[in-house]
């Protein structure tokens, strides 16, 4: 008789089956209990707990480029399981073993009390006598994604993916599977729907997450891969059902291969997976709660201080004492709390290919950079500086102190991208160099904020001390995270912003450590609306740094639009504030004053989108935050001929809500509320206008 193990925790239901021969199957993972009808015996073989491919082993079935039907994945048999609790919640572990090679695999499920999300990873241990080569291992595998309901999966399943790109971040799109080429024609095929990242920009084309909704069943499955390098997920069909496979790098997709010696262990990249009754917004609510739970405890995410940064539509990487002092005065006047000097402070002129030493330029700062940093502090703000510490320019004077062991290498040559070399954080000399730069900034200069940028993609990896290029990259990725952990332990009050040409490394390996994330380098404030409104689906609102940069040549509505972009997230103020008219500068101050009254709500609120997820093609964009009885709603008219929009807020109907246009308050705004329908109608006569509303329900 087969054995069943049922795990119910935090609203998640997991059902495992262990056959008489020792096969381990994950029959169900969902927000509702497994249906009473069960699963046909002929299909159960496809419900494998994991996929695992070793070099020299066979493949079964017609697999194409998919990672199903692996060996020894098909051979793995049950050893034991452990069910315990720790400081975060329940921990469930299943141990399997390959009777041929002696390879052991432990599938880990870490629950978090009160959250319908579980972190999953696999630990391989070579308990055999021979070395094995690992080509693929899943961190999470689940078959039967579409088993609930009677409709065909072509109709009922919808997949939401966040496309990403420089200045075009967070472009969410929702697809039926046939729109992606995965039509339900046979019981299994070679086609897969997949997202994969190769390189050191983890979000170069996609955010490492997705939401899959079963419209008929009214449930959603969601996942995020918590890694700062290469990763892969795919949806395939087998046994006439859909399967999800999530992993870190693979050999076929990411140039990763690992030689596992006898006694050696390998830990896969973690993935967070959850399920909800409901759709996209309910899934993101659980992910938001989970992201707050796994994040490093820090004051920055509680206080949400306002940052001024001198780069965007302002000094453009060319700061000097003379340029900065009036900006510092203006930033303090409107209420900024950090002032970050961005790129260029370390070089007299063109600096791109010479970075790496990180010493201040005496030409830019004749009195010394500490004079300017002290001036910032004297104005009541915390000073900050920009760094790009993971690279070294090809003309950097620091190269005299370095050799090839400092850098990524491929085919015997240093990896070069955009006139920079990639530093290898496995090297103790690189760590010592990085530690000294941080020490100097924090201890000698008194810096309390660092904008840590990263403007290259190091590609498939490095050959140094690695089994494959991807293995070298993975080791480096993990070494960099370990270095970050050490820096935050040494300087717990230091704020380090995660930036990578905007949002090219927006992942929760980084964001579980960093308190704030640069979302974009988008220079056009009107284009930023959709990016800002989409961002809370990919990261918590209080971590989402949004540029607000009033233009010298703009008008009042341009200032308002800029400020509304950021007011429900994290304000990344910029622009030539000192050169704005008194009226327009007062609009900036009004926005920041209001922000300081609501930021305690932002850090605990959950996002929603009354018009659906925005795109760059939309004329109207809207997103809001809910916390208890308060709702904050941003509305943008980006373009188009229509001057009116209706925004459904069904949860507020007939609740006697008090409503105000919270920003701007001194500008007439036409709006009306239909209490019976729960609908706000807003009229904005001109394009490129925006408003922020506040609702308080009884």
């Amino acid at each position: 008789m087969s054995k069943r193990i049922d795990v119910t925790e935090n609203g998640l239901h997991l059902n495992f089956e262990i056959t008489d021969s020792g096969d381990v199957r994950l029959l169900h993972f969902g927000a509702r209990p497994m249906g009473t009808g069960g699963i046909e015996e002929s299909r159960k073989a496809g419900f494998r707990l994991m996929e695992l491919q070793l070099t020299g082993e066979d493949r079964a079935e017609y697999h194409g480029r998919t990672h199903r039907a692996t060996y020894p994945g098909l051979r793995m048999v049950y050893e034991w399981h452990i069910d315990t609790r720790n400081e975060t919640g329940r921990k469930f572990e299943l141990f399997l073993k390959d009777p041929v090679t002696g390879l052991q695999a432990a599938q880990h499920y870490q629950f978090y009390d009160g959250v319908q999300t579980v972190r999953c990873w696999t630990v391989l241990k070579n308990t055999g006598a021979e070395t094995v080569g690992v080509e693929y291992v899943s961190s999470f595998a689940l078959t039967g994604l579409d088993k609930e309901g009677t409709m065909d999966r072509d109709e009922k399943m919808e997949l939401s993916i966040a496309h990403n790109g420089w200045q075009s971040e967070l472009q969410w799109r929702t697809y039926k599977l046939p729109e992606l080429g995965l039509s339900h024609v046979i019981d299994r095929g070679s086609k897969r729907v997949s997202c994969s990242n190769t390189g050191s920009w983890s979000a170069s084309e996609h955010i490492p997450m997705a939401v899959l909704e079963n419209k008929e069943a009214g449930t959603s499955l969601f996942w995020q891969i918590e890694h700062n390098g290469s990763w892969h997920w795919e949806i395939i069909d087998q046994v006439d059902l859909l399967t999800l496979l999530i992993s870190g790098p693979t050999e076929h997709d990411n140039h990763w291969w690992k030689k596992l010696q006898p006694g050696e262990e390998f830990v896969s990249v973690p993935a967070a997976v959850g399920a909800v009754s409901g759709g996209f917004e309910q899934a993101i609510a659980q992910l938001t709660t989970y992201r707050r739970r796994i994040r490093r405890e820090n004051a920055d995410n509680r206080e949400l201080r306002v940052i001024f940064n001198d780069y965007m539509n302002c000094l453009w990487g060319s700061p000097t004492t003379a340029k900065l002092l009036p900006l510092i005065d203006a930033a303090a006047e409107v209420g900024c709390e950090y002032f970050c000097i961005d790129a260029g402070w370390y070089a007299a002129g063109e600096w791109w290919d010479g970075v790496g030493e990180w010493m201040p330029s005496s030409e830019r700062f004749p009195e010394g950079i500490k004079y300017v940093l002290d001036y910032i502090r004297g104005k009541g703000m915390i000073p900050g500086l920009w760094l790009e510490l993971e690279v070294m320019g090809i003309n950097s004077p620091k190269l005299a102190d370095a050799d090839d062991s400092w850098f990524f290498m491929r085919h015997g040559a240093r990896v070069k991208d955009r006139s920079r070399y990639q530093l290898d954080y496995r090297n103790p000399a690189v760590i010592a160099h990085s530690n000294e730069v941080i020490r100097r900034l924090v201890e000698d200069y008194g810096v309390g904020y660092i904008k840590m940028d990263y403007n290259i993609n190091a590609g498939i990896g490095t050959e140094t001390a690695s089994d494959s290029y991807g293995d070298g990259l993975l080791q480096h990725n993990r070494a960099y995270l370990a270095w970050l952990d050490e820096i935050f332990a040494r300087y717990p009050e230091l704020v380090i912003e995660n930036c990578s040409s905007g949002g090219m490394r927006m992942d929760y390996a980084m964001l579980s450590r960093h308190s704030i994330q640069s979302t974009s380098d988008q220079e056009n404030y009107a284009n930023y609306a959709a990016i800002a409104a989409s961002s809370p689906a990919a990261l918590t609102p209080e971590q989402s740094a949004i540029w607000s940069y009033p233009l010298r040549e703009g008008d009042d509505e341009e200032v308002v639009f800029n400020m509304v972009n950021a007011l429900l997230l994290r304000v990344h103020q910029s622009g030539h504030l000192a050169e704005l008219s008194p009226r327009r500068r007062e609009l900036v101050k009004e926005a920041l004053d209001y922000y300081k009254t609501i930021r305690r709500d932002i850090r605990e609120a959950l996002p929603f989108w009354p018009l659906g997820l925005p795109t760059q093609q939309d004329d109207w964009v809207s997103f809001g935050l809910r916390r208890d009885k308060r709702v904050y709603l941003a509305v943008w008219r980006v373009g188009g001929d229509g001057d009116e929009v209706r925004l459904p807020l069904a949860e507020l109907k007939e609740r006697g809500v008090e409503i105000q246009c919270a920003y701007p308050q001194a500008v007439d705004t036409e709006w009306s509320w239909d209490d019976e329908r729960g609908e706000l109608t807003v009229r904005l006569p001109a394009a490129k206008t925006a408003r922020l509303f506040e609702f308080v329900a009884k």
Side-chain angles (χ1 to χ4, degrees), residues 101-158:
T101 65
L103 185 67
Q104 184 190 76
Q107 180 70 60
H108 293 252
Y109 300 91
Q110 176 65 64
F111 294 87
Y112 292 78
D113 289 338
V115 185
Q116 287 179 226
T117 307
V118 58
R119 180 183 276 169
C120 309
W121 67 95
T122 302
V123 178
L124 302 179
K125 184 173 183 180
N126 187 354
T127 59
E130 302 294 330
T131 299
V132 297
V134 184
E135 299 180 2
Y136 177 87
V137 57
S138 60
S139 295
F140 179 81
L142 177 64
T143 295
L145 310 179
D146 54 326
K147 70 182 188 299
E148 281 76 34
T150 59
M151 294 171 59
D152 191 86
R153 65 177 182 243
D154 284 358
E155 297 300 320
K156 68 185 179 184
M157 306 303 292
E158 289 189 354

Side-chain angles (χ1 to χ4, degrees), residues 70-125:
T70 55
Y71 277 102
L74 285 164
R75 259 194 333 254
M76 302 296 285
V77 294
Y78 173 81
E79 278 198 301
W80 68 80
H81 70 273
I82 302 173
D83 194 350
T84 59
R85 296 193 67 84
N86 53 35
E87 64 277 6
T88 62
R90 189 173 181 178
K91 178 77 181 300
F92 186 73
E93 304 165 49
L94 272 163
F95 290 80
L96 290 75
K97 193 166 186 176
D98 176 21
V100 176
T101 65
L103 185 67
Q104 184 190 76
Q107 180 70 60
H108 293 252
Y109 300 91
Q110 176 65 64
F111 294 87
Y112 292 78
D113 289 338
V115 185
Q116 287 179 226
T117 307
V118 58
R119 180 183 276 169
C120 309
W121 67 95
T122 302
V123 178
L124 302 179
K125 184 173 183 180

Side-chain angles (χ1 to χ4, degrees), residues 191-226:
K191 173 66 181 176
R192 63 183 184 176
V193 171
S194 66
C195 280
S196 193
N197 177 76
T198 300
S200 53
W201 271 0
S202 60
S204 59
E205 293 185 281
H206 299 94
I207 302 294
M209 64 172 295
V211 178
L212 181 69
E213 183 176 0
N214 184 329
K215 302 290 285 189
E216 180 187 7
T219 59
S220 296
L221 182 77
F222 55 88
W223 59 92
Q224 68 178 23
I225 302 176
E226 297 171 356

Side-chain angles (χ1 to χ4, degrees), residues 567-584:
L567 281 180
L568 295 185
L569 300 158
R570 192 68 187 275
V571 180
H572 222 167
Q573 192 67 50
S574 194
H576 287 282
L577 294 185
E579 300 179 38
L580 299 184
S581 68
R583 163 65 186 162
R584 297 178 73 229

Side-chain angles (χ1 to χ4, degrees), residues 367-409:
E367 307 86 350
I369 197 169
K370 197 169 186 306
Y371 170 81
V372 180
L373 297 172
D374 287 344
Y375 190 85
I376 293 168
R377 196 175 295 106
K379 289 290 182 175
M381 296 182 289
I382 297 171
L385 287 174
W386 180 96
L387 282 179
E388 191 174 356
L389 203 49
E390 296 163 71
V391 304
M392 197 169 286
I394 60 174
N395 291 315
S396 174
K398 188 66 179 175
L399 290 173
D401 300 328
D403 57 32
D404 284 350
S405 70
W406 284 49
F407 305 105
F408 272 31
M409 303 288 292

